Amino acid sequence: MSQIKDKVKGLKYELSITVPYSEFEQKTETKISEYAKTAKIQGFRTGHAPVSLIKQKYGDAFDADCLNELINETIFKYIDDKKLKITDRPSVNIETFEKGKDIKFTANFEVFPELEKVVDLQKLTITKKVLPVKDEDVEKALKDLAESRRETEALEKERPSQKGDIAIIDFEGFIDNKAFPGGKGSKYPLELGSKSFIEGFEDQLIGKNKDDKVDVNVQFPKDYHVKEFAGKDALFKVKIIDIRQKKVPTIDDNFAKELGRKDLSELRENIKQMQTEHYDNLSKSGMRDEVFKAFSKIKIDIPESLVKREYEYMTGEKAAEDLANSNEAKAEENSNKKEKELKAEAEKRVKLSLILNAVGKEGNVQVSHEDVQNYIMAEVQKQPQMAQQIIDYYTKNQNAMTMLRAELYETKVLEYIFSKVKINEKTVKDQKDLMEQ
């Protein structure tokens, strides 16, 4: 019979296990006997070779499998008997495995902390910021919507370009009298005054006429994303091919019908509803931050293995980001500099996850198949032209589905929390107030 001595320190378990060699022998005998029933051995019919012959010829081949089975069965029987929930597979170290001698090995693992009633939600008070949607907010959104659907049209009469016009231009840029990569364009529609080009570029094209050739002198910003251009003077040789004016659609019933609404009144109501939902989401984001801040102050035991795993995930993401935006040496420097902060953040994430899961279990929160389908269909409705791609992304990508279910679970747990805590409403003046902590 197996003997187990356990050493428990916080969430860490160390088992010292002794198993009689006879148990190992019995397991190998059983395995070999089972194999003998279907074994194909030269000179014998299938399944009729003597067990003694198979044992003599192949016995050693069964040792590794039988030993692993014996070790796993012994460890997991202990775990099941103690009703432990382990964070990862146990690490095993075999100390003694010799013929005729007791088998001795150690197993180390961590368990999840017991977090029942770790937080009394009814004693928690949070603030819900409320921002009513005003008529002027709806009108501004309508104007922005019309602006986004603007078209261009030819000038009724030729004239010099003005701010707001669309100049169709050919251009080529030079630094130190040499053309540089990426500095050339043909028939490019540039809205004058949009500040989409380098500062000062568009201003030098205002007051010009169709077919004019203009030398535009500018200086690249010192923080320009292409380092070899940063802070340098440049000359752009520009030819104005055409000048067009913006044509913004009239905001009326026809405009609303083009957007699939019955009339302008219905469009206004839809916009108001969307803005209300947007403000509500921003408000819930602030409530979420308050809840997380309160949870971060709760003292619980945190499994080191989970923190290590989260840290490795985070550093992998951070390294990839640094390498994408910088060179390898700088990425290593940033990694070393941020190590302590990342470890603290990893511990914070694990802690919040443990508490949220405990609260979710308390509230019997579950993510149903219907929840997942509703989310995917909502995404499809936002981008109907991408319907199949969106559906395939979630249904054919296991990682994406796992992350989606985790996101939905957190949302549902937060909704449960909001239903239990005390909420003080506070009316704010604008969207900026909603986003302030």
Side-chain angles (χ1 to χ4, degrees), residues 6 11 22 35 42 44 51 61 77-78 93-94 99 105-106 117 141 144 176 217 250 259 307 324 344 377 389 422:
D6 55 15
L11 302 176
S22 58
Y35 175 73
Q42 188 174 2
F44 298 90
V51 171
K77 183 179 185 305
Y78 172 90
N93 180 44
I94 300 173
K99 188 172 183 178
F105 59 94
T106 59
K117 303 295 183 183
D144 291 342
D176 297 329
N217 291 282
T250 304
L259 294 171
V307 176
M377 287 303 103
Q389 291 95 318
K422 182 180 178 182

Side-chain angles (χ1 to χ4, degrees), residues 209-248:
N209 293 291
K210 179 180 177 180
D211 296 328
D212 279 356
K213 295 181 179 179
V214 185
D215 286 348
V216 174
N217 291 282
V218 293
Q219 183 182 58
F220 281 98
K222 292 181 180 179
D223 59 351
Y224 195 66
H225 63 279
V226 182
K227 290 185 177 180
E228 54 265 37
F229 299 165
K232 292 192 174 181
D233 293 327
L235 166 66
F236 284 86
K237 292 187 174 295
V238 180
K239 180 179 180 181
I240 300 177
I241 306 300
D242 195 9
I243 300 170
R244 299 177 66 83
Q245 60 187 3
K246 289 189 295 183
K247 182 183 180 182
V248 179

Side-chain angles (χ1 to χ4, degrees), residues 113-132:
E114 292 290 337
L115 296 179
E116 289 185 14
K117 303 295 183 183
V118 70
V119 56
D120 188 347
L121 295 176
Q122 293 182 343
K123 291 184 178 180
L124 184 60
T125 301
I126 61 175
T127 301
K128 179 180 181 179
K129 294 179 179 178
V130 179
L131 177 60

